[in-house]
Amino acid sequence: MASVLGAALLAAMVVAQVASGPQPRPIVLTSVVVLLLAASALAFASATHSPARAVAAFTAVVATGYAAEWVGIRTGVPFGDYHYTGVLQPAPGGVPVIVALAWGGMGLAAHAVAAAVAPGSRAARIVTGALALTAWDLFLDPQMIRLGLWVWHDPGPYRGVPFSNFAGWLVVSLLVMALLERMPAEPAAWSAGLVSIYTVMAVMETIGFAAVFVPPDPLVATAGGLSMGLFTLLAWRRGRPPSPEAERA
């Protein structure tokens, strides 16, 4: 039942993403996409790890993401100096709730990708998951800057994003993955649903930057598409459980 719910929420997220693409400032739909993403990830995680463990894992990632952002806007650590513009609400403590939920949803999805790629090694899952989650930010930051949701005080070379941001993402993502390794009873369990979320985000963001957003951005489409695409391909190639026929053989 949880898997069916997760699939329905994921389909709704795709519809919301498609609807938001042609609009110049799709703030409301952007928030809807994140809410559906988070709900879908929680449903799929519940099907794989049990509802209680899924809620605990999701809550831990949301709290970690919120804490990192709270510290970040006050100190510049670990991402660099930036601030939110106030467009996204509610924002207790200056950090939009929707941002913390995005950390939660994509954190679970990236960990599932890592579990598929490296099921036999906890250390490899932590590193792979952190890299997979950081790869998503190659899309996220340029898109959110376009929408005027946050501002970098010292713009960097990647569409205005400083390299310190990606270093910070990697550090926080390593912490997120280490936490997620402690939550489920079987952290390497295969979750086609969570891997599907990561896959959908990779495909939709690539298409968006390549052909839908105005103006299109081939650089971001290529950088994000190749990075997330690599983890997507590895996850589906390595993560599929053996068929019953293969097991009998």
Side-chain angles (χ1 to χ4, degrees), residues 165-214:
N165 171 67
F166 300 110
W169 262 77
L170 186 59
V171 169
V172 177
S173 296
L174 285 168
L175 177 57
V176 164
M177 296 304 143
L179 286 172
L180 288 176
E181 280 293 308
R182 300 291 180 180
M183 299 291 178
E186 296 183 43
W190 164 252
S191 174
L194 286 171
V195 174
S196 294
I197 289 176
Y198 191 91
T199 303
V200 166
M201 292 301 293
V203 171
M204 297 293 287
E205 293 282 7
T206 301
I207 293 173
F209 275 100
V212 177
F213 300 154
V214 180

Side-chain angles (χ1 to χ4, degrees), residues 61-202:
V61 179
V62 168
T64 301
Y66 178 88
E69 300 282 351
W70 189 91
V71 172
I73 60 176
R74 287 164 172 78
T75 68
V77 177
F79 308 109
D81 291 322
Y82 70 106
H83 69 270
Y84 288 98
T85 60
V87 173
L88 294 175
Q89 296 293 330
V95 177
V97 171
I98 205 72
V99 170
L101 293 177
W103 275 99
M106 282 303 288
L108 292 177
H111 182 263
V113 167
V117 173
S121 170
R122 170 170 288 179
R125 287 195 300 272
I126 291 173
V127 173
T128 302
L131 289 171
L133 186 54
T134 303
W136 177 50
D137 195 48
L138 292 170
F139 284 129
L140 180 65
D141 247 277
Q143 185 176 4
M144 298 302 105
I145 289 173
R146 280 184 176 223
L147 296 175
L149 304 185
W150 59 71
V151 175
W152 288 100
H153 299 175
D154 297 306
Y158 181 71
R159 294 300 185 254
V161 184
F163 289 139
S164 63
N165 171 67
F166 300 110
W169 262 77
L170 186 59
V171 169
V172 177
S173 296
L174 285 168
L175 177 57
V176 164
M177 296 304 143
L179 286 172
L180 288 176
E181 280 293 308
R182 300 291 180 180
M183 299 291 178
E186 296 183 43
W190 164 252
S191 174
L194 286 171
V195 174
S196 294
I197 289 176
Y198 191 91
T199 303
V200 166
M201 292 301 293

Side-chain angles (χ1 to χ4, degrees), residues 3-106:
S3 294
V4 174
L5 176 60
L9 290 166
L10 180 56
M13 186 193 78
V14 171
V15 172
Q17 274 191 312
V18 171
S20 69
Q23 304 199 22
R25 294 184 63 80
I27 303 303
V28 174
L29 283 174
T30 298
S31 297
V32 170
V33 168
V34 174
L35 288 172
L36 291 169
L37 163 69
S40 179
L42 190 53
F44 283 132
S46 296
T48 304
H49 302 295
S50 84
R53 289 183 182 275
V55 169
F58 179 78
T59 302
V61 179
V62 168
T64 301
Y66 178 88
E69 300 282 351
W70 189 91
V71 172
I73 60 176
R74 287 164 172 78
T75 68
V77 177
F79 308 109
D81 291 322
Y82 70 106
H83 69 270
Y84 288 98
T85 60
V87 173
L88 294 175
Q89 296 293 330
V95 177
V97 171
I98 205 72
V99 170
L101 293 177
W103 275 99
M106 282 303 288

